[in-house]
């Protein structure tokens, strides 16, 4: 059996009882380590699970899945995924490859950012499509996310923006020279995301979200040091010190926002007077 085991969002204790039982008895245990991270090191997981773990980077999962699936027709293999296996990130290719090899599959779900973001006070029923924001480069500024955000905005729904992480990435120079030298990990912050959002809006000029649009920055959601900060996009450009270390996410408020959401998120406001004034102008005078 191939087990896809969700680990939750925070630390080694977030795994479910069922998931932990599977990890303890599996012949091999892999940890998917390129789409997200837990807030603890691999060694902490190994000590808690009582098992050694093989870190599965992007190259292994996408190009060497045969190693992960080796022998899974006759023994149990556990593939660990931060959050939920089919939450913000899916592993469809791995599952399809397992099916081709007649390997049975079971999924052990867990909390993901898609559900835990409700801790910011916005109602999950009022969220539209989730989008991802990548780091901009001088010559590469992809803006495909903008149309999805615009669609959400048009029907009044909130947008969860997942922020880029760069783990085990190579520079273009080292890649061209065939050197297996990797850059230090980088994690996009709410401030960077808000700034890039405003830059795209400046280019597009379609009025989807501007400096005075309300949003909520989220950090380490589901963890013991979970933090939310609410304000305008302009305010959130400078809110990284308030949010602290990664991982960060951003929520753009939709026009359907309810007064209960307003009151709940107000507790996280950088400046409650600005929050109240902006809300009144944007949501109560329509």
């Amino acid at each position: 059996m191939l087990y896809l085991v969700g680990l939750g969002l925070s630390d080694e204790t977030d795994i479910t009882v069922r998931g932990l039982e599977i990890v303890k008895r599996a012949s091999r245990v892999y940890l998917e380590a390129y789409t997200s991270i837990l807030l603890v090191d691999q060694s902490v997981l190994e000590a808690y699970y009582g098992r050694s773990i093989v870190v599965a980077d992007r190259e292994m999962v996408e190009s060497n899945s045969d190693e992960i699936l080796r022998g899974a027709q006759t023994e149990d293999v556990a593939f660990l995924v931060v959050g939920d296996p089919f939450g913000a990130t899916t592993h469809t290719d791995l599952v399809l490859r397992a099916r081709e090899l007649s390997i049975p599959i079971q999924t052990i779900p867990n909390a993901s950012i898609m559900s835990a973001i409700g801790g910011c006070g916005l109602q999950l029923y009022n969220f539209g499509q989730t989008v991802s924001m990548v780091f901009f480069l001088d010559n590469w500024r992809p803006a495909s996310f903008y149309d999805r955000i615009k669609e959400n905005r048009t029907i009044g729904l909130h947008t969860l923006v997942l922020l880029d992480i760069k783990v085990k990435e190579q520079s273009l120079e080292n890649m061209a020279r065939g050197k297996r030298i990797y850059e230090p990990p980088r994690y996009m912050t709410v401030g960077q995301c808000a700034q890039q959002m405003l830059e795209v809006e400046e280019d597009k000029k379609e009025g989807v979200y501007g400096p005075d649009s309300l949003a909520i920055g989220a950090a380490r959601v589901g963890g013991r040091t979970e933090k939310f900060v609410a304000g305008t996009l302009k305010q959130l450009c400078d809110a990284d010190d308030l949010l602290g270390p990664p991982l960060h996410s951003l929520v753009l408020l939709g026009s359907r926002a309810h007064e209960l959401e307003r009151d709940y998120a107000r507790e996280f406001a950088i400046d409650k007077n600005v929050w109240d004034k902006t809300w009144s102008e944007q949501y109560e005078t329509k």
Side-chain angles (χ1 to χ4, degrees):
M1 181 80 71
L2 172 66
Y3 290 96
L4 279 70
V5 181
L7 296 184
L9 294 170
S10 180
D11 58 31
E12 73 279 9
T13 64
D14 280 354
I15 192 171
T16 64
V17 173
R18 183 181 174 208
L20 183 58
E21 291 174 347
I22 290 168
V23 169
K24 286 183 176 295
R25 72 168 186 260
S27 297
R28 299 189 311 281
V29 181
Y30 296 90
L31 172 64
E32 188 264 88
Y34 64 91
T35 59
S36 189
I37 59 168
L38 281 182
L39 303 180
V40 294
D41 293 333
Q42 174 187 346
S43 59
V44 176
L45 297 182
E46 291 179 327
Y48 188 77
Y49 300 159
R51 295 297 310 275
S52 61
I53 296 173
V54 177
V55 174
D57 58 17
R58 183 188 298 272
E59 182 179 356
M60 173 179 280
V61 177
E62 295 181 352
S63 304
N64 195 23
S65 61
D66 287 347
E67 169 58 25
I68 297 172
L69 300 175
R70 173 175 50 85
Q73 295 94 337
T74 57
E75 58 188 16
D76 291 338
V77 175
F79 183 74
L80 312 184
V81 181
V82 176
D84 183 90
F86 295 108
T89 300
T90 63
H91 292 284
T92 307
D93 288 347
L94 184 63
V95 170
L96 291 177
R97 179 62 179 145
R99 287 178 180 173
E100 290 174 358
L101 298 172
S102 300
I103 296 171
I105 302 158
Q106 281 194 16
T107 302
I108 314 302
N110 208 321
S112 89
I113 187 63
M114 306 287 281
S115 57
I117 195 62
C120 75
L122 303 183
Q123 298 169 8
L124 295 179
Y125 285 134
N126 287 338
F127 278 78
Q129 304 167 84
T130 297
V131 303
S132 297
M133 176 80 77
V134 301
F135 284 109
F136 285 176
L137 302 176
D138 291 340
N139 59 350
W140 188 64
R141 297 163 60 85
S144 58
F145 65 87
Y146 187 88
D147 292 335
R148 305 288 81 75
I149 292 175
K150 183 178 179 180
E151 290 173 3
N152 289 344
R153 180 73 167 176
T154 299
I155 54 178
L157 298 179
H158 311 311
T159 300
L160 170 61
V161 185
L162 303 178
L163 310 191
D164 199 6
I165 68 171
K166 298 293 187 185
V167 179
K168 205 174 181 181
E169 296 278 339
Q170 291 180 278
S171 68
L172 292 177
E173 181 181 358
N174 286 328
M175 192 179 300
R177 294 182 177 182
K179 295 182 178 180
R180 300 181 71 85
I181 299 174
Y182 301 102
E183 300 293 296
R186 288 194 299 149
Y187 307 98
M188 182 180 285
T189 66
V190 161
Q192 292 170 317
C193 179
Q195 183 60 48
Q196 290 188 180
M197 181 69 207
L198 293 178
E199 290 175 9
V200 171
E201 183 60 63
E202 181 64 24
D203 292 338
K204 297 277 189 178
K205 292 183 170 57
E206 296 183 26
V208 177
Y209 283 92
D212 294 327
S213 298
L214 292 179
I216 301 175
R220 302 171 303 285
V221 174
R224 304 178 198 277
T225 61
E226 177 182 80
K227 179 78 172 180
F228 297 109
V229 172
T232 65
L233 276 178
K234 182 178 180 180
Q235 287 178 316
L236 291 181
C237 285
D238 300 312
D240 288 346
D241 287 344
L242 296 174
L243 285 163
L247 294 170
H248 287 191
S249 302
L250 179 72
V251 180
L252 302 167
L253 268 68
S255 61
R256 288 189 191 179
H258 190 273
E259 61 184 19
L260 292 177
E261 295 176 296
R262 173 200 64 196
D263 294 344
Y264 196 113
R266 184 180 188 272
E267 184 64 27
F268 308 130
I270 296 172
D271 184 323
K272 290 182 172 57
N273 291 328
V274 171
W275 177 266
D276 293 340
K277 180 176 182 294
T278 306
W279 183 283
S280 176
E281 292 172 348
Q282 297 184 14
Y283 294 90
E284 296 175 7
T285 59
K286 294 179 295 182

